C-alpha cells in the first residue's frame, strides 16, 4: 500500500468507492464523521482524506463547506463519482418483499420516484453502507438498503434493483485533502484553485471583488456563500476558479480580490478531474 486514506462512512460507502477510484493503491480507513476524517489527516494517522462536497441532485454538503476553511488542510485533488443507487436485500429476497428501504438522508431524495412507484417507505440511516450491513445482519426480507454494488459485495447482499436513481447524471464531487499543499503541478489539462474570502464592509464589495475575474478572463466555476460565527452579517464565500495562482491573469484577479476583502484563504490548487468536462 502507498499510504492510507480516510473517508466518512463504513466500508462500501460511496466515499469508499471514491477512494478506490482516486487512490486505488491506498488503504481505505472508515471514519464516523467528516470531522474525524479531518482530524485523522491533521494528526498524521492517515496520509489523505476523502470528503464529499456536493451532489448534482441533492446539492452541497453544508457541513463540509463550513469545515474546510478551518481544517488546516489542503485540497490536492478532486474526484467525480457517478452515484448509482441500488436496492440491496438479503439473499433470496425479491423486490416484491421489500416494504422499507434504508439510506442516508442525502440519498433518499435521489431515488424518491422509484420508492414511491413501488410502495417502499424510505427510512433514514446515518450511512448507506451501514444500512447495508444492518440489513445483512437483520436477515429480514422486508428491509432493504440503498447503497452501492460495492456494499452488496462486502456484506453479501443481493442487488434487487440496479441504478434506481431518478436522475441519470447523478454524480457526487469529492475532494482529496492533505496536510501539505502541492502547488508544483501543472499537467496538460485545467488547474482548479479553490479559496474562501470575506468581503470588506463597503458598498458593492462583492460586485467589485468579482470584477477582477471578469476583466482578467478567469472563469469562476463555483461561488457559494454561507454564514459564519453565528451572525447574519459575517458571510464567507467559497469559490472555484480555473487556473493556477501563478498564472498572470489569475494573479491579477486575486490581487484585486484582496483589495476588496478582509480575508482570502487558498484551500487548494489541483488538476481538474477528467469528469469535470
Amino acid at each position: 500500500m502507498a499510504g492510507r486514506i480516510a473517508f466518512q462512512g463504513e466500508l462500501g460507502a460511496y466515499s469508499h468507492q471514491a477512494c478506490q477510484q482516486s487512490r486505488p493503491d491506498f488503504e481505505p480507513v472508515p471514519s464516523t464523521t467528516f470531522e474525524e476524517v479531518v482530524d485523522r489527516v491533521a494528526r498524521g494517522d492517515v496520509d489523505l482524506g476523502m470528503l464529499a462536497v456536493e451532489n448534482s441532485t441533492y446539492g452541497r454538503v453544508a457541513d463540509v463547506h463550513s469545515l474546510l476553511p478551518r481544517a488546516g488542510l489542503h485540497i490536492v485533488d478532486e474526484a467525480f463519482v457517478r452515484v448509482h443507487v441500488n436496492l440491496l436485500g438479503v439473499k433470496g429476497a425479491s423486490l416484491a418483499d421489500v416494504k422499507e428501504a434504508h439510506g442516508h438522508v442525502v440519498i433518499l431524495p435521489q431515488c424518491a420516484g422509484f420508492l414511491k412507484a413501488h410502495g417502499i417507505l424510505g427510512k433514514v440511516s446515518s450511512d448507506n453502507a451501514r444500512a447495508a450491513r444492518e440489513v445483512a445482519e437483520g436477515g429480514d426480507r422486508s428491509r432493504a438498503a440503498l447503497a452501492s454494488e460495492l456494499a452488496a459485495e462486502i456484506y453479501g447482499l443481493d442487488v434487487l434493483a440496479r441504478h434506481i436513481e431518478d436522475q441519470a447524471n447523478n454524480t457526487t464531487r469529492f475532494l482529496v485533502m492533505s496536510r501539505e499543499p502541492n502547488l508544483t503541478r501543472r499537467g496538460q489539462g485545467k488547474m482548479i484553485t479553490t479559496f474562501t474570502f470575506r468581503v470588506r464592509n463597503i458598498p458593492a464589495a462583492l460586485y467589485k471583488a468579482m470584477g477582477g475575474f471578469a476583466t482578467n478572463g478567469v472563469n469562476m466555476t463555483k461561488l457559494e456563500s454561507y454564514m459564519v460565527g453565528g451572525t447574519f452579517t459575517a458571510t464567507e464565500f467559497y469559490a472555484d476558479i480555473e487556473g493556477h495562482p501563478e498564472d498572470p491573469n489569475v494573479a491579477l484577479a486575486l490581487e484585486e480580490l484582496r483589495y476588496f476583502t478582509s480575508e482570502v484563504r487558498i484551500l487548494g490548487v489541483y488538476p481538474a478531474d477528467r469528469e469535470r468536462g
Side-chain angles (χ1 to χ4, degrees):
M1 290 288 180
R4 305 176 79 219
I5 182 168
F7 65 92
Q8 187 275 325
E10 299 193 18
L11 293 173
Y14 291 102
S15 294
H16 180 191
Q17 182 178 331
C19 292
Q20 287 191 331
Q21 175 180 310
S22 179
R23 295 293 192 277
D25 52 343
F26 275 59
E27 176 191 352
V29 179
S31 305
T32 305
T33 63
F34 295 123
E35 288 81 1
E36 186 177 354
V37 172
V38 168
D39 289 344
R40 281 181 162 169
V41 178
R43 290 195 308 263
D45 297 343
V46 298
D47 302 281
L48 300 172
M50 180 71 71
L51 296 177
V53 289
E54 57 192 319
N55 175 267
S56 59
T57 302
Y58 180 81
R60 73 180 184 183
V61 181
D63 290 347
V64 172
H65 277 75
S66 51
L67 177 65
L68 283 179
R70 306 293 178 257
L73 303 180
H74 305 272
I75 306 168
V76 293
D77 268 315
E78 66 177 352
F80 289 83
V81 173
R82 181 67 176 81
V83 178
H84 289 302
V85 184
N86 306 281
L87 188 72
L88 311 182
V90 298
K91 292 292 184 182
S94 66
L95 178 57
D97 293 326
V98 177
K99 305 303 179 187
E100 58 185 49
H102 297 251
H104 192 272
V105 65
V106 170
I107 210 169
L108 290 172
Q110 297 175 25
C111 52
F114 177 90
L115 298 181
K116 182 178 180 181
H118 291 84
I120 298 173
L121 179 64
K123 292 278 192 174
V124 174
S125 173
S126 61
D127 180 71
N128 301 309
R130 177 179 180 176
R133 174 174 60 79
E134 291 178 342
V135 165
E137 292 171 350
D140 185 346
R141 293 190 178 195
S142 69
R143 297 175 69 243
L146 301 168
S148 65
E149 292 189 59
L150 176 61
E153 296 172 10
I154 291 173
Y155 300 109
L157 295 172
D158 284 345
V159 180
L160 307 182
R162 278 184 170 82
H163 304 181
I164 64 173
E165 60 274 11
D166 297 334
Q167 300 294 328
N169 63 340
N170 190 28
T171 301
T172 297
R173 181 187 179 213
F174 293 85
L175 297 176
V176 181
M177 310 299 298
S178 173
R179 287 184 298 281
E180 301 296 332
N182 187 347
L183 305 181
T184 63
R185 292 173 299 173
R186 287 290 185 159
Q188 299 300 315
K190 299 175 183 176
M191 294 296 293
I192 304 297
T193 297
T194 295
F195 57 93
T196 60
F197 64 93
R198 295 188 191 184
V199 294
R200 294 167 57 194
N201 188 23
I202 58 176
L206 179 59
Y207 173 79
K208 294 174 181 176
M210 294 296 94
F213 296 97
T215 56
N216 288 286
V218 178
N219 185 27
M220 180 170 286
T221 59
K222 177 175 291 296
L223 178 65
E224 295 184 343
S225 65
Y226 54 96
M227 291 180 294
V228 294
T231 172
F232 287 101
T233 57
T235 302
E236 192 153 1
F237 293 88
Y238 175 101
D240 289 341
I241 59 173
E242 292 180 354
H244 192 288
E246 295 175 0
D247 294 342
N249 63 329
V250 175
L252 289 171
L254 290 175
E255 180 181 353
E256 190 165 338
L257 173 69
R258 290 186 174 94
Y259 182 79
F260 295 106
T261 58
S262 59
E263 177 184 290
V264 177
R265 188 192 304 259
I266 302 293
L267 299 182
V269 181
Y270 48 96
D273 186 274
R274 63 184 182 276
E275 298 298 329
R276 175 180 280 266

